[in-house]
Amino acid sequence: MFMDEARFGRMNRPVRCWAPAGVRPVVDCQTVREYTYAYGALCPDDGVLDSLILPSMHSECFGRFVSEVSRRHPEELVVMVCDGAGSHTATDLSLPENVRILTLPPYSPELNPTEQLWGLIRERRFANKAYDSLDEVEDDLAEELRALEADHTTIQSLTSHQRITSSLNLDAG
């Protein structure tokens, strides 16, 4: 499973949006510095996504997330591919028996397909939206993550490379 976390909050940035010709769209913009973190681990092959919303990006939160992934996959050996964030490599981190951590090279976010997930969530749920509270942010984030956890096809198409061999007739010579 590929794992990553992303910050979501009340500070937003206006993005392009549709408007009728001749109409200039008006969108809310705010700079409130309140954040929460979405943790996600996904398997591009089968579209499985496990996620949690946690208050920070510290090793305790990462440990809670890893324990939750372990609980959801008790009969599997989970090789979790992560970036080199300090919380992923903390010496006080105790891993469950069925989880192993594999670290990506530094400065290589393009190698982690989970990055695609955050862009989709921001586009579908958070574009040009201002929130009155962090609870509202977490509610929207939770709703979107639940929908994506149930939608294996979207996770697969978003994060896996095209399967060329399945569309080719390799026996034709």
Side-chain angles (χ1 to χ4, degrees), residues 3-8 36-40 51-54 118 121 141 145:
M3 182 276 163
D4 196 25
E5 60 279 308
R7 183 172 69 181
F8 291 86
T36 193
Y37 290 82
Y39 284 71
S51 64
L52 276 180
I53 298 171
L54 296 166
W118 309 134
I121 292 171
L141 185 56
L145 287 169

Side-chain angles (χ1 to χ4, degrees), residues 24-46:
R24 185 177 185 150
V26 176
V27 297
D28 290 331
C29 186
Q30 63 187 21
T31 56
V32 180
R33 287 177 168 79
E34 288 184 312
Y35 304 101
T36 193
Y37 290 82
Y39 284 71
L42 60 84
C43 178
D45 191 48
D46 61 10

